[in-house]
Amino acid sequence: MNVSRLIPTTAVAGAVVLGLTACSASDAADHKNGDKLNVVASFYPMQFLAEQIGGKHVSVTTLTKPGVEPHDLELTPRQIGGLGDADYILYLKGIQPAVDDAIKLSESTHSVDAAKLTTLEDHGTETGGDEHGHEHEGEGAGADPHIWLDPVKYAEVAKGVGASLEKTDPGHAADYRKNTDALVKRLDTLNTAYETGLRNTATKTFVTTHSAFGYLAERYGLVQEGIAGIDPEAEPSPARIQEIHTIAEKSKATTVFFETLASDKTAKTVAADTGLRTDVLDPLEGITDKSKGDNYFEVMQSNLAALQKALGAK
């Protein structure tokens, strides 16, 4: 993770003080939505889980507005102060340093780290080497936090979130359990669609500007070749472009994928230099008007179709 993206602890500490000062008793009252649980989610994949599992019993707000690149998020003092009013905080340690620091300093007893609900892995050496792989904060060097792009791991997290909501709000435990079971069933169906749709392909290799698909690639027997690791807009070196060209020729890769929340400049540069096509593969870090779908499942289906086309599914 680029250290320029990290907010110094002293700055966050100051913001916490400001936020708590700015958050008056009336503000806290505003956060109570009747009998609903006041849930704060760090970014879209966590928001989606909270909404799907919490249903009518929760009021969910997200720290990351649509269109904002989650890795670069900077929190306002009001957002940081609001963490103290939350009944339940759901986040994913290792992907948003500003959120990690703010939650740690808030000392909230109702925060759930989704990274602890499944097993994180290091995909750095599988995406073009450590130089081009991820370097995330938190769960060890190289730990890849993009667990939601693997329906199986996302289902594991969903089960953990459901169980924690049951403990937090036992009065509605039966509904949380029912909603969790329904979500897990849909994720199982999505997993089957990916297994079937990607079983027979002309190539197993795809190139992406954002190395976010390590879990997905591993789950379905694919090979992700990241151009420049975590930063989807980083300029690749001439040596890496040549390396991608060689890999594409050997593996018969056809497409350089870019994402909706970042510029397609890098993808077009590499595609022009290697003779490959470009297309969108959405890491689902946020939903915007440009997203190919209105929710997690719709975008994941769009991603499946894009992969099938790029890999030559039979």
Side-chain angles (χ1 to χ4, degrees), residues 77-100:
R78 188 177 183 84
Q79 285 179 309
I80 296 172
L83 292 174
D85 297 321
D87 298 315
Y88 183 94
I89 302 170
L90 181 59
Y91 75 113
L92 179 58
K93 187 177 180 180
I95 200 165
Q96 295 178 286
V99 174
D100 296 348

Side-chain angles (χ1 to χ4, degrees), residues 31 33 42 84 105 127 133 159 162 165 170 177 209 225 227 229 234 249 279 305 311 313:
H31 288 164
N33 294 276
S42 56
L105 287 168
T127 56
K159 292 175 183 177
L165 280 173
R177 196 174 305 117
T209 57
E225 285 293 341
I227 294 173
E249 284 187 336
D279 200 357
L311 300 175

Side-chain angles (χ1 to χ4, degrees), residues 12 21 26 35 66 75 81 94-95 121 130 142 160 168 192 212 232-233 258 291:
V12 175
T21 302
S26 61
D35 293 329
L75 299 177
I95 200 165
E121 300 172 12
D130 290 335
T168 303
T192 299
E233 298 186 46
F258 62 96
S291 300

Side-chain angles (χ1 to χ4, degrees), residues 59-78:
S59 175
V60 182
T61 57
T62 179
L63 296 174
T64 309
K65 295 180 180 179
V68 174
E69 216 291 325
H71 300 284
D72 296 328
L73 178 70
E74 294 185 12
L75 299 177
T76 66
R78 188 177 183 84

Side-chain angles (χ1 to χ4, degrees), residues 12 25 37 43 63 71 93 97 99-100 150 158 166 172 182-183 189 194 229 234 240 242 244 252 259 263 287 300:
V12 175
L37 208 65
F43 71 132
L63 296 174
H71 300 284
K93 187 177 180 180
V99 174
D100 296 348
D150 174 355
E166 287 179 39
H172 298 117
L183 178 58
T189 299
Y194 266 77
R240 182 56 178 163
Q242 181 55 50
I244 291 292
K252 298 181 180 179
E259 62 177 89
S263 168
I287 297 289
M300 283 295 284

